[in-house]
C-alpha cells in the first residue's frame, strides 16, 4: 500500500509556533525523508467558514498568509501538493454521503468539538456546518487515501471519527476506503504548546500566539512578557517550573548546543532548571536565552518569507497547480465511493442491460 500524507490548517490567521511544533515541522521532515509516495497539504478554507460564515474576507486574506508560512518553513511544491479545500468539490460530495453513517449523538460526544463550541459561545446556536465538520474532515482524509495524518493532539478525536466512518463505509459497501493513522509529536509539549499567557493551548482564537512571521522585535516583546512563576519575585527566590511557560517552551525548542552558543553558564536545560529552582536565576536571563533559541529557528523562516513575498502571483500559481493535483486524486476516490454505493448508474453497463432484460420479460 502507498504511504500518503494529508494534513492542513484553517486559514483563520497566520501560523504560529503551536502549528510549527505540533505539525508543520514534522511535515517538512516527513516530506524530505522521501518515505512517502504522496503528500497533500490542505488550506482548510471551507472548514474555516463553518465558524466564520459572516467574515469571508478574513479567510480570503489568510489563504496567502498560510501558503507563505508553508513555503517559508520548507514545504516544497515539487514534493507536496499544496491546495485549497473549497476548490475540490468532490470533498463536499463525499461529506454528503458520509453524513448518513454518523449519528448526531456521536458528533455530540466529540471532546474537541465540545471544547470549541464552548470557546465560540455556540452552546445555544451551533451552525450545522460547524457541528458536522468532523465528517468533512473524514472526507478530506479519505479522499486522498491518506495513511498518515501529522497533527497536534487536539485532532485525535477527529482522526478517530474518520476511522469509524471508514470502517462503517467498508462494512456496508465493501472495502473501499483507507483507515488513516494520526501522527502526534513524540514530545508531549509539542503536541499541545501552551500560549504565551500560560493558557493550555496556543491558538489564533485565544490571541496568545507567537507567529512564524512576527518580526524579531515582536517575538522579543512577546517572550519578555511571557507568563512565568508569579511567586518568583526576586532573583534570589526559588522558582517553580510548574506551568512556567518559558521553561515549557525551552523543553519544546532548546537543544544542548544552544547552551554552548547562547548561555555557556550551563551545559544543558537540566542545569538551568536546577539553578532556577534553587534560586539565584532571574526570569530575564532565562527569557533572553529563550528568545535566542527561538530566533535560531525563526530567523531563516522569516528570511525565506521575505523572498517569497516579492512574488505573490507565483505563490497563487503553486496553489492552483496543487488544486489540480488534489482534484485528480479526490475524483478517483469519489468514483470508487459511488461505485461501491451503487450510484454510478451511467458507468454501469451491466445495470442498464439488466434493467432492459427485466422490462423485456
Ligand atoms: P483556530 O483557533 O482557528 O482553530 P488553531 O490555532 O487551533 O486555529 P488549527 O488550524 O485549528 O489552529 O490547527 C492546525 C494544526 O495545528 C492542527 O494539526 C493542530 O493540532 C495543530 N495545532 C494548533 N495549535 C497547536 C498547539 N498549540 N500545539 C500543537 N499543535 C497545535
Ligand atoms: Mg483549531
Amino acid at each position: 500500500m502507498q504511504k500518503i500524507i494529508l494534513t492542513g490548517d484553517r486559514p483563520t490567521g497566520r501560523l504560529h509556533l503551536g502549528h510549527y511544533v505540533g505539525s508543520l515541522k514534522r511535515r517538512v521532515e516527513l516530506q524530505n525523508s522521501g518515505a512517502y509516495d504522496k503528500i497533500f497539504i490542505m488550506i482548510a478554507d471551507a472548514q474555516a467558514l463553518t465558524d466564520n460564515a459572516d467574515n469571508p474576507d478574513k479567510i480570503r486574506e489568510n489563504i496567502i498568509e498560510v501558503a507563505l508560512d508553508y513555503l517559508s518553513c520548507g514545504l516544497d511544491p515539487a514534493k507536496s501538493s499544496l491546495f485549497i479545500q473549497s476548490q475540490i468539490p468532490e470533498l463536499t460530495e463525499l461529506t454528503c454521503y458520509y453524513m448518513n453513517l454518523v449519528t448526531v449523538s456521536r458528533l455530540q460526544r466529540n471532546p474537541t468539538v465540545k471544547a470549541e463550541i464552548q470557546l465560540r459561545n455556540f452552546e445555544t446556536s451551533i451552525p450545522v456546518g460547524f457541528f458536522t465538520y468532523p465528517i468533512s474532515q473524514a472526507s478530506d482524509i479519505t479522499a486522498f487515501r491518506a495513511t498518515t495524518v501529522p497533527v497536534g493532539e487536539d485532532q485525535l478525536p477527529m482522526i478517530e471519527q474518520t476511522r469509524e466512518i471508514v470502517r462503517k463505509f467498508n462494512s456496508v459497501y465493501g472495502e473501499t476506503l483507507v483507515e488513516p493513522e494520526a501522527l502526534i509529536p513524540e514530545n508531549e509539549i509539542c503536541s499541545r504548546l501552551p500560549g504565551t499567557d500560560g493558557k493550555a493551548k496556543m491558538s489564533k482564537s485565544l490571541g496568545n500566539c507567537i507567529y512564524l512571521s512576527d518580526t524579531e522585535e515582536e517575538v522579543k516583546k512577546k517572550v519578555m512578557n511571557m507568563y512565568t512563576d508569579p511567586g518568583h519575585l526576586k532573583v534570589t527566590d526559588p522558582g517553580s517550573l510548574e506551568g512556567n511557560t518559558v521553561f515549557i517552551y525551552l523543553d519544546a525548542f532548546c537543544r544542548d548546543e544552544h547552551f554552548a552558543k547562547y548561555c555557556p553558564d550551563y551545559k544543558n536545560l537540566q542545569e538551568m532548571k536546577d539553578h532556577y529552582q534553587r534560586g539565584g536565576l532571574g526570569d530575564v536571563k532565562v527569557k533572553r536565552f529563550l528568545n535566542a533559541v527561538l530566533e535560531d529557528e525563526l530567523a531563516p523562516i522569516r528570511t525565506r518569507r521575505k523572498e517569497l513575498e516579492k512574488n505573490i502571483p507565483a505563490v497563487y500559481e503553486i496553489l492552483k497547480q496543487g488544486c489540480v493535483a488534489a482534484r485528480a486524486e479526490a475524483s478517483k476516490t469519489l468514483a470508487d465511493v459511488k461505485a461501491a454505493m451503487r450510484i454510478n448508474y451511467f458507468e454501469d453497463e451491466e445495470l442498464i442491460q439488466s434493467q432492459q432484460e427485466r422490462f423485456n420479460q
Side-chain angles (χ1 to χ4, degrees):
M1 192 168 65
Q2 287 201 317
K3 285 174 79 181
I4 301 174
I5 290 178
L6 176 284
T7 184
D9 305 271
R10 296 152 42 94
T12 48
R14 294 173 291 147
L15 298 183
H16 53 65
L17 286 180
H19 298 121
Y20 185 69
V21 292
S23 168
L24 194 45
K25 196 175 173 179
R26 188 73 166 281
R27 290 177 209 172
V28 176
E29 286 163 8
L30 296 175
Q31 168 196 271
N32 295 337
S33 74
Y36 287 82
D37 298 290
K38 288 179 196 151
I39 302 175
F40 296 94
I41 311 288
M42 179 179 81
I43 303 183
D45 62 335
Q47 186 185 314
L49 283 166
T50 65
D51 61 331
N52 289 280
D54 53 354
N55 201 354
D57 281 340
K58 172 172 151 190
I59 309 305
R60 189 180 170 84
E61 272 155 34
N62 278 306
I63 285 182
I64 188 72
E65 296 284 358
V66 173
L68 285 166
D69 284 331
Y70 281 169
L71 295 167
S72 48
C73 284
L75 286 176
D76 175 356
K79 298 177 185 155
S80 303
S81 300
L82 312 182
F83 71 97
I84 307 175
Q85 186 183 25
S86 63
Q87 304 307 298
I88 319 296
E90 287 79 5
L91 299 177
T92 321
E93 223 176 310
L94 285 173
T95 303
C96 179
Y97 298 126
Y98 293 171
M99 280 186 173
N100 303 331
L101 307 175
V102 182
T103 63
V104 170
S105 65
R106 175 63 184 86
L107 286 176
Q108 278 167 335
R109 277 205 311 276
N110 185 314
T112 302
V113 176
K114 263 194 204 164
E116 289 180 335
I117 284 172
Q118 220 177 6
L119 184 73
R120 289 163 177 77
N121 289 321
F122 275 167
E123 277 98 339
T124 49
S125 57
I126 314 167
V128 174
F130 185 83
F131 184 61
T132 56
Y133 92 74
I135 305 177
S136 123
Q137 246 174 271
S139 308
D140 304 333
I141 296 169
T142 55
F144 300 96
R145 299 171 203 271
T147 48
T148 313
V149 189
V151 281
E153 177 201 49
D154 61 330
Q155 293 299 309
L156 279 179
M158 305 299 167
I159 311 299
E160 194 42 48
Q161 176 82 77
T162 299
R163 291 165 62 92
E164 277 176 41
I165 290 174
V166 168
R167 288 197 290 265
K168 180 90 185 183
F169 188 100
N170 288 347
S171 78
V172 176
Y173 303 113
E175 273 311 302
T176 312
L177 301 174
V178 176
E179 214 173 308
E181 305 246 5
L183 198 62
I184 304 286
E186 280 141 28
N187 182 343
E188 211 179 300
I189 292 157
C190 295
S191 72
R192 185 177 286 248
L193 192 75
T196 49
D197 56 359
K199 288 215 179 94
K201 192 188 153 207
M202 180 178 282
S203 162
K204 286 170 267 183
S205 312
L206 296 173
N208 56 8
C209 306
I210 293 177
Y211 293 99
L212 297 174
S213 50
D214 276 345
T215 62
E216 203 177 330
E217 296 71 40
E218 284 167 329
V219 173
K220 186 160 186 208
K221 201 166 151 207
K222 288 178 183 179
V223 170
M224 296 319 278
N225 285 324
M226 256 165 92
Y227 181 85
T228 58
D229 168 14
H232 187 232
L233 299 174
K234 288 199 294 273
V235 173
T236 47
D237 290 342
S240 163
L241 303 176
E242 187 74 31
N244 189 323
T245 324
V246 178
F247 279 99
I248 296 175
Y249 279 37
L250 284 174
D251 275 325
F253 289 95
C254 111
R255 298 183 298 274
D256 289 354
E257 60 258 34
H258 288 130
F259 283 95
K261 214 161 148 191
Y262 303 116
C263 197
D265 294 356
Y266 309 98
K267 270 207 283 304
N268 54 41
L269 187 55
Q270 195 52 52
E271 281 189 9
M272 185 181 235
K273 282 179 175 173
D274 290 344
H275 192 188
Y276 190 80
Q277 285 176 301
R278 268 199 319 273
L281 172 57
D283 282 348
V284 172
K285 184 166 175 176
V286 188
K287 285 178 171 177
R288 285 213 182 106
F289 175 59
L290 173 62
N291 186 58
V293 169
L294 291 181
E295 274 309 310
D296 225 40
E297 199 94 23
L298 291 175
I301 297 175
R302 210 180 279 130
T303 310
R304 276 197 297 272
R305 200 182 211 271
K306 280 273 156 285
E307 250 338 278
L308 290 156
E309 283 171 0
K310 291 181 190 157
N311 194 353
I312 293 298
V315 179
Y316 277 105
E317 189 55 35
I318 287 170
L319 294 177
K320 196 171 162 192
Q321 294 305 323
C323 287
V324 172
R327 196 154 182 206
E329 203 65 30
S331 65
K332 272 191 259 164
T333 305
L334 180 63
D336 288 353
V337 160
K338 287 172 111 171
M341 292 177 70
R342 302 175 63 74
I343 53 173
N344 59 337
Y345 314 111
F346 307 126
E347 277 93 69
D348 192 348
E349 276 297 319
E350 222 172 275
L351 166 79
I352 298 169
Q353 272 308 317
S354 67
Q355 291 301 325
Q356 179 62 69
E357 280 156 25
R358 189 161 74 86
F359 282 102
N360 288 347
Q361 277 161 17

